[in-house]
Amino acid sequence: MLVLGLAGHFSPPDIELAPNLGYGYAHDAAACLIRDGELVAAVEEERLNRVKKTTKFPINAIRACLATAGVKPSQVDAVGHYVREDFLDIALGNVYAENPRLPLRSSRELITGHLSGELGIEVPSDRLLYSEHHVCHALSSFIRSGMKEALVVVMDFRGELHSTTIFRGQNERLERLATYNLEQSLGRFYENHIKLLGYRLGDEYKVMGLAPYGDPATYRDLFSSMYTLRDGGDFDLRTDPNTFLLNGFLPRREGQEFTRQHRDFAAGLQHALEELAMHVMCHWAEHTGLARLCFVGGVAHNSSLNGLLLRSGRFEEIFVHPVSHDAGAAEGAALGAAHLLGPSRPQPRLRSASVGPGLGTASEIEKQLAAWGGLVEYSQPADIVAESARLLAGGSVLGWAQGRSEYGPRALGNRSILADPRPAENKQRINSMVKKREAYRPFAPVVTQEAAAEYFDIPAQTKANYEFMSFVVDVRESRRAELGAVTHIDGSARLQIVDPDANPRFHRLVRVFGELTGTPVLLNTSFNNNAEPIVQDVRDALTCFLTTGIDVLVVEDFLVCRRRDREPAFDNLIPEFRPVARLVKRVRNTVSRTRDVVYEIFMDVPFGAGTEMSADAFAVLEAADGVRSLASLAEAVGGLDADIRGELYRLWQGRFFLLRPE
């Protein structure tokens, strides 16, 4: 049986509901395809429409899943959705009440309309199956854990009516043991407080990385005043950032330096989350006697909390799904639909998250590289792994694109930026050349399976799935100086152990680097800059490479370098706009009572980036037609001088528009 799972919004293109429903409602859109329970393809919509945490219906992701699996739309037997039908229709009803001009359509009508009209997937009414949100999360984790029995804990901002749900997983089935209400939401608690640090939904991991720089004792009393631990794993919780404002805490603005006050706040918030989460999970472990844990939901991406669970010794084994946020619920929706339609069979433990679309055949890749030949040159070394390891050992930073993309928020060796983990200065170097992000944020190490225990303090009493970079562990004290670029301020690291069976090429790269340097570890971070999601295809990889300081790009067996004289080729590139891009010319009143004309471009999505530009750059982009090159478009303003060229390049770096060769 072939089942499609969906996460994300369901508004058709003629009515935009997403702004009315709010950014938090349907972020992390994704599609997933399972065949008889086996995960055959999955990808987040953001990888394809290039909008971070997109809320759109995952139309591109569905197409990609079908193409990757090599199946026709008519072969889809059923479709699962990751939220209850009645909950969706209530949300829609509220939107319709506020927008009386919108046509009244149920969620079922909207979803089937998308599938039929844009994809040719005709879904009988009894084959579009909705599942409860937390059940979707729980199924994705428990089924992929390969465990026969486990405590399954779902923690996130919210499902339909609950913020945490506790299940007993047994023989492919779930038994609900307890639920925690929305007032007890640990996801909401964390998200609402990080706003005081200038962050928002999706930035929780940044605060987790900041926490080790602070002292949790500074704000322990204020955080503790917000919750009371009760018997039976219960607790009272009051989420109230005003508590800190009333005690003299000033909100940080985006871009502002982090003060001691900010660092201590992050440490206190992380400590409070850990205390509350451990209170819940330790109680249910003791109450049920279950020795294995499946942890999932947005809170499960807090790898510092996961490391604490490891060190607690409460469990013999812990499995954290690599796509624990809402995109992973697409897989759970497919599993839920399959379970409703018939019995399932046991599945082995998930060993790889590389289930997204691939990069194409060698000839297809070479054709694309050749099209960009004015800006890059490429070769095919006899042994691309050995050559890449040699370059890394020599100090190069590599963009590394291989095979099928990873499902989830982390690059695990198929869409990665790689570097030598030893020089401490590599951390700042990569931040400045690529990421343009906060200097405090750590980079993760990837190590071979054989050498992991030699470099990292891995709790022996608890097994865990380290393949997915989900756990923070301590770097062995004797190795911290050696791993200067990946050891965090507190001596920890968010560890990935590469499985030679799951990703043999990546494992060999780390191993050969170790043979050359004596250190079988690499710095591994996601292949993207600060303005875009992780790269998906060859064009994305080339764009990121050409707009950052990455030294060399490796795409499958091809080694790609920049040409020295790239200026003429840049001028001949053709600008293209994503559907969400908006060019605006407006008049701004100044303090001196003059009226200035302002030229802007912005992304028309929640929290979308925007910037001002010169009149000449605006004129070039305003005339873009998808046919003429930058040089041709610039003729109207006297040609591409150095200033306009530099400005357009910076806008390309910010992904305000895309470029392609003629």
Side-chain angles (χ1 to χ4, degrees):
M1 180 181 292
L2 196 65
V3 183
L4 176 68
L6 306 179
H9 216 287
F10 44 83
S11 58
D14 58 320
I15 56 171
E16 283 297 332
L17 298 181
N20 305 79
L21 288 171
Y23 180 59
Y25 172 74
H27 52 83
D28 302 321
C32 166
L33 202 60
I34 65 170
R35 180 186 287 113
D36 299 328
E38 179 188 358
L39 176 59
V40 294
V43 64
E44 292 190 61
E45 181 72 8
E46 69 167 25
R47 298 288 189 100
L48 304 165
N49 74 5
R50 312 306 296 159
V51 177
K52 284 185 176 182
K53 301 189 76 65
T54 184
T55 62
K56 299 298 182 183
F57 188 85
I59 198 74
N60 297 296
I62 297 170
R63 287 195 184 100
C65 284
L66 295 174
T68 300
V71 299
K72 300 175 182 177
S74 60
Q75 293 176 271
V76 175
D77 295 302
V79 176
H81 194 273
Y82 77 137
V83 177
R84 263 174 31 190
E85 184 173 11
D86 60 341
F87 187 82
L88 289 176
D89 287 333
I90 289 171
L92 275 173
N94 287 321
V95 171
Y96 295 145
E98 295 173 4
N99 299 272
R101 294 186 178 181
L102 293 180
L104 298 175
R105 301 178 193 173
S106 67
S107 64
R108 186 173 293 271
E109 290 175 299
L110 293 172
I111 294 169
T112 55
H114 258 307
L115 295 173
S116 175
E118 298 176 58
L119 295 162
I121 300 176
E122 302 296 338
V123 187
S125 183
D126 63 344
R127 291 300 177 102
L128 173 56
L129 301 163
Y130 298 75
S131 294
E132 185 181 334
H133 187 65
H134 279 190
V135 170
C136 291
H137 275 312
L139 281 172
S140 69
S141 187
F142 180 53
I143 298 300
R144 298 300 169 217
S145 73
M147 299 176 184
K148 293 182 178 179
E149 186 177 36
L151 180 68
V152 184
V153 177
V154 182
M155 280 185 183
D156 59 8
F157 190 106
R158 66 173 296 170
E160 289 83 358
L161 300 173
H162 307 115
S163 60
T164 292
T165 306
I166 312 296
F167 298 92
R168 179 195 297 271
Q170 190 170 29
N171 298 327
E172 315 302 311
R173 297 293 175 184
L174 298 172
E175 175 193 356
R176 193 187 312 267
L177 301 178
T179 58
Y180 292 73
N181 64 41
L182 299 181
E183 295 302 315
Q184 296 170 295
S185 172
L186 300 188
R188 184 178 70 167
F189 175 72
Y190 208 86
E191 182 190 322
N192 282 0
H193 282 93
I194 68 174
K195 293 174 183 176
L196 295 183
L197 295 176
Y199 289 127
R200 58 176 182 264
L201 172 66
D203 292 331
E204 292 87 349
Y205 66 99
K206 299 178 184 179
V207 178
M208 180 190 73
L210 179 64
Y213 287 88
D215 181 0
T218 302
Y219 292 111
R220 180 174 287 129
D221 289 345
L222 284 180
F223 276 113
S224 295
S225 71
M226 296 183 182
Y227 59 89
T228 303
L229 304 182
R230 305 287 186 190
D231 292 339
D234 200 5
F235 60 90
D236 300 325
L237 179 62
R238 180 172 57 90
T239 300
D240 187 9
N242 292 335
T243 299
F244 294 90
L245 300 178
L246 291 170
N247 282 271
F249 188 94
L250 296 177
R252 172 184 169 270
R253 293 288 181 245
E254 186 177 358
Q256 179 185 344
E257 289 295 320
F258 288 93
T259 65
R260 165 57 62 183
Q261 186 183 47
H262 299 142
R263 296 192 291 271
D264 290 348
F265 180 89
L269 177 60
Q270 178 67 25
H271 178 268
L273 174 77
E274 291 173 353
E275 184 174 22
L276 286 159
M278 292 296 291
H279 174 69
V280 172
M281 285 188 269
C282 290
H283 164 76
W284 286 104
E286 182 177 350
H287 179 76
T288 61
L290 294 169
R292 290 175 171 80
L293 171 69
C294 294
F295 187 28
V296 69
V299 177
H301 276 317
N302 192 300
S303 50
S304 293
L305 168 60
N306 298 343
L308 182 60
L309 280 166
L310 277 178
R311 295 189 299 276
S312 73
R314 288 280 183 170
F315 300 96
E316 294 177 7
E317 184 176 3
I318 301 174
F319 180 87
V320 176
H321 196 284
V323 200
S324 282
H325 61 305
D326 277 4
E331 181 188 1
L335 291 166
H339 279 214
L340 289 171
L341 292 171
S344 59
R345 62 185 184 187
Q347 295 291 317
R349 183 168 75 82
L350 185 69
R351 305 291 294 277
S352 171
S354 296
V355 293
L359 293 160
T361 65
S363 60
E364 289 169 341
I365 293 170
E366 185 168 14
K367 183 178 180 180
Q368 292 183 73
L369 295 177
W372 289 83
L375 288 90
V376 301
E377 53 189 6
Y378 62 91
S379 62
Q380 282 186 280
D383 187 339
I384 191 66
V385 172
E387 179 63 15
S388 298
R390 185 188 67 79
L391 289 166
L392 287 163
S396 293
V397 174
L398 265 60
W400 176 262
Q402 302 288 319
R404 296 174 66 178
S405 62
E406 301 94 340
Y407 181 31
R410 290 171 182 149
L412 301 169
N414 280 19
R415 300 292 187 277
S416 292
I417 294 172
L418 305 172
D420 190 334
R422 296 171 299 167
E425 58 270 21
N426 267 358
K427 177 182 173 182
Q428 183 55 39
R429 180 185 171 204
I430 295 172
N431 263 332
S432 61
M433 73 161 54
V434 184
K435 294 293 188 173
K436 312 294 183 187
R437 66 184 198 176
E438 302 90 342
Y440 71 81
R441 287 168 54 190
F443 287 111
V446 55
V447 63
T448 61
Q449 207 170 58
E450 312 86 81
E454 181 183 346
Y455 282 84
F456 302 95
D457 186 5
I458 299 172
Q461 74 274 22
T462 305
K463 290 172 58 180
N465 58 325
Y466 292 103
E467 304 99 313
F468 304 130
M469 214 183 279
S470 297
F471 298 90
V472 167
V473 301
D474 288 332
V475 181
R476 291 199 181 277
E477 195 165 353
S478 61
R479 297 291 188 176
R480 292 177 185 177
E482 181 182 350
L483 300 181
V486 294
T487 301
H488 203 22
I489 187 71
D490 60 350
S492 69
R494 180 160 53 88
L495 177 63
Q496 178 192 1
I497 300 176
V498 62
D499 185 328
D501 295 324
N503 197 334
R505 175 171 279 203
F506 192 43
H507 178 271
R508 179 169 174 250
L509 177 68
V510 182
R511 177 177 59 78
V512 174
F513 176 82
E515 292 169 357
L516 292 173
T517 63
T519 304
V521 183
L522 283 175
L523 180 157
N524 178 19
T525 188
S526 57
F527 194 170
N528 63 315
N529 69 3
N530 62 314
E532 64 178 346
I534 300 174
V535 304
Q536 172 56 46
D537 57 21
V538 176
R539 178 180 178 176
D540 297 336
L542 283 164
T543 298
C544 191
F545 172 59
L546 290 168
T547 55
T548 63
I550 294 172
D551 297 308
V552 180
L553 171 63
V554 179
V555 182
E556 296 289 11
D557 293 329
F558 294 91
L559 191 71
V560 184
C561 301
R562 297 178 190 82
R563 291 193 182 276
R564 291 186 179 180
D565 183 15
R566 301 187 297 277
E567 190 174 288
F570 174 80
D571 293 357
N572 289 326
L573 295 176
I574 298 170
E576 296 179 332
F577 292 100
R578 289 178 289 164
V580 298
R582 303 287 183 267
L583 285 166
V584 176
K585 179 169 62 176
R586 61 184 177 86
V587 175
R588 178 173 59 195
N589 294 320
T590 67
V591 176
S592 59
R593 299 181 183 275
T594 61
R595 303 180 75 196
D596 292 344
V597 178
V598 179
Y599 302 90
E600 296 177 315
I601 186 170
F602 69 94
M603 299 295 106
D604 190 13
V605 294
F607 307 114
T611 187
E612 294 184 11
M613 69 180 86
S614 69
D616 287 344
F618 185 90
V620 171
L621 295 179
E622 188 178 37
D625 53 13
V627 177
R628 288 181 291 167
S629 67
L630 291 172
S632 176
L633 294 166
E635 290 176 2
V637 294
L640 278 181
D641 61 23
D643 288 340
I644 298 177
R645 183 180 295 110
E647 187 174 5
L648 291 171
Y649 178 77
R650 286 190 294 274
L651 291 170
W652 185 34
Q653 280 184 311
R655 303 299 182 267
F656 289 105
F657 61 88
L658 302 177
L659 292 173
R660 64 172 176 83
E662 291 180 292

